[in-house]
């Protein structure tokens, strides 16, 4: 399964990444404004991007099965943009998990 984590550098994104890498056989794509600051891991790609930039999201959603969203901020605008990209791309499963806050 190919999972995209949007907001991967936040506390929730990092915790979800850690859990998935250590307990499941998945391929992860970590998406954040500073994703390349995250450690390199097996079966994990890192993409720097802006959640409000359609083209950044479209690139990140290539070959993705599930989207996990761990963001804070203007969630209605962010989610609207994410859903727009999901509709326009080939995300196989429109599974969304959205959190606003800290662990």
């Amino acid at each position: 399964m190919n999972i995209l984590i949007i907001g991967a550098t936040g506390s929730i994104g990092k915790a979800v990444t850690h859990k998935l890498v250590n307990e499941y056989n998945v391929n992860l794509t970590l998406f954040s404004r500073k994703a390349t600051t995250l450690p390199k891991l097996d079966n994990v790609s890192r993409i720097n991007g802006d959640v409000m930039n359609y083209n950044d999201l479209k690139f990140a959603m290539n070959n993705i099965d599930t989207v996990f969203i761990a963001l804070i901020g203007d969630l209605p605008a962010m989610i609207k943009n994410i859903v727009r990209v999901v509709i326009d791309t080939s995300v196989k499963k429109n599974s969304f998990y959205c959190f606003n806050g800290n662990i």
Side-chain angles (χ1 to χ4, degrees):
M1 177 178 286
N2 298 315
I3 300 172
L4 172 65
I5 300 176
I6 299 174
T9 55
S11 59
I12 293 172
K14 286 178 181 176
V16 170
T17 297
H18 179 77
K19 180 85 168 172
L20 292 173
V21 165
N22 289 310
E23 296 184 25
Y24 298 92
N25 182 22
V26 296
N27 297 307
L28 296 180
T29 299
L30 307 180
F31 182 88
S32 179
R33 288 174 292 184
K34 297 180 181 179
T36 54
T37 64
L38 295 167
K40 293 181 180 179
L41 302 166
D42 291 339
N43 299 323
V44 176
S45 61
R46 303 168 301 158
I47 298 174
N48 287 340
D50 182 345
V51 72
M52 294 306 297
N53 184 298
Y54 177 89
N55 289 325
D56 288 354
L57 283 173
K58 187 173 180 181
F59 178 77
M61 287 192 197
N62 183 44
N63 200 34
I64 292 298
D65 300 309
T66 299
V67 178
F68 185 100
I69 304 164
L71 295 170
I72 59 172
D74 185 1
L75 287 178
M78 293 175 186
I79 299 302
K80 182 178 180 180
N81 199 48
I82 292 167
V83 170
R84 189 174 133 227
V85 176
V86 166
I87 290 168
D88 292 346
T89 60
S90 60
V91 173
K92 295 176 184 127
K93 294 180 184 173
N94 297 326
S95 299
F96 291 89
Y97 307 91
C98 187
F99 295 90
N100 185 358
N102 295 313
I103 291 178

Short mmCIF file of all heavy atoms in Angstrom, two decimals, residues 73-81:
data_model
loop_
_atom_site.label_atom_id
_atom_site.label_comp_id
_atom_site.label_asym_id
_atom_site.label_seq_id
_atom_site.Cartn_x
_atom_site.Cartn_y
_atom_site.Cartn_z
N GLY A 73 -3.96 24.79 11.01
CA GLY A 73 -4.08 26.00 10.20
C GLY A 73 -5.48 26.12 9.65
O GLY A 73 -6.45 25.69 10.27
N ASP A 74 -5.58 26.68 8.46
CA ASP A 74 -6.87 26.90 7.80
C ASP A 74 -7.35 25.59 7.16
O ASP A 74 -7.28 25.40 5.95
CB ASP A 74 -6.73 28.00 6.76
CG ASP A 74 -8.06 28.38 6.12
OD1 ASP A 74 -9.10 27.80 6.49
OD2 ASP A 74 -8.04 29.26 5.23
N LEU A 75 -7.82 24.67 8.01
CA LEU A 75 -8.20 23.33 7.53
C LEU A 75 -9.25 23.34 6.43
O LEU A 75 -9.11 22.57 5.47
CB LEU A 75 -8.64 22.45 8.69
CG LEU A 75 -7.52 21.95 9.60
CD1 LEU A 75 -8.09 21.12 10.74
CD2 LEU A 75 -6.50 21.15 8.83
N PRO A 76 -10.30 24.16 6.50
CA PRO A 76 -11.27 24.12 5.40
C PRO A 76 -10.64 24.41 4.03
O PRO A 76 -10.91 23.70 3.07
CB PRO A 76 -12.29 25.20 5.80
CG PRO A 76 -12.22 25.24 7.29
CD PRO A 76 -10.76 25.02 7.60
N ALA A 77 -9.77 25.40 3.96
CA ALA A 77 -9.12 25.71 2.69
C ALA A 77 -8.16 24.60 2.27
O ALA A 77 -8.09 24.23 1.10
CB ALA A 77 -8.38 27.05 2.79
N MET A 78 -7.42 24.08 3.23
CA MET A 78 -6.46 23.01 2.93
C MET A 78 -7.18 21.76 2.44
O MET A 78 -6.78 21.16 1.44
CB MET A 78 -5.61 22.69 4.17
CG MET A 78 -4.69 23.79 4.59
SD MET A 78 -3.87 23.31 6.13
CE MET A 78 -3.00 24.79 6.53
N ILE A 79 -8.22 21.34 3.16
CA ILE A 79 -8.95 20.14 2.79
C ILE A 79 -9.62 20.32 1.43
O ILE A 79 -9.63 19.40 0.61
CB ILE A 79 -9.98 19.76 3.87
CG1 ILE A 79 -9.29 19.47 5.20
CG2 ILE A 79 -10.85 18.58 3.43
CD1 ILE A 79 -8.26 18.37 5.17
N LYS A 80 -10.16 21.48 1.18
CA LYS A 80 -10.78 21.75 -0.12
C LYS A 80 -9.78 21.55 -1.24
O LYS A 80 -10.08 20.91 -2.26
CB LYS A 80 -11.33 23.18 -0.15
CG LYS A 80 -12.04 23.53 -1.43
CD LYS A 80 -12.60 24.94 -1.38
CE LYS A 80 -13.30 25.29 -2.67
NZ LYS A 80 -13.84 26.67 -2.63
N ASN A 81 -8.56 22.04 -1.07
CA ASN A 81 -7.53 21.88 -2.09
C ASN A 81 -7.10 20.42 -2.22
O ASN A 81 -6.94 19.91 -3.33
CB ASN A 81 -6.32 22.77 -1.78
CG ASN A 81 -5.47 23.00 -2.99
OD1 ASN A 81 -5.97 23.33 -4.07
ND2 ASN A 81 -4.17 22.84 -2.84
#
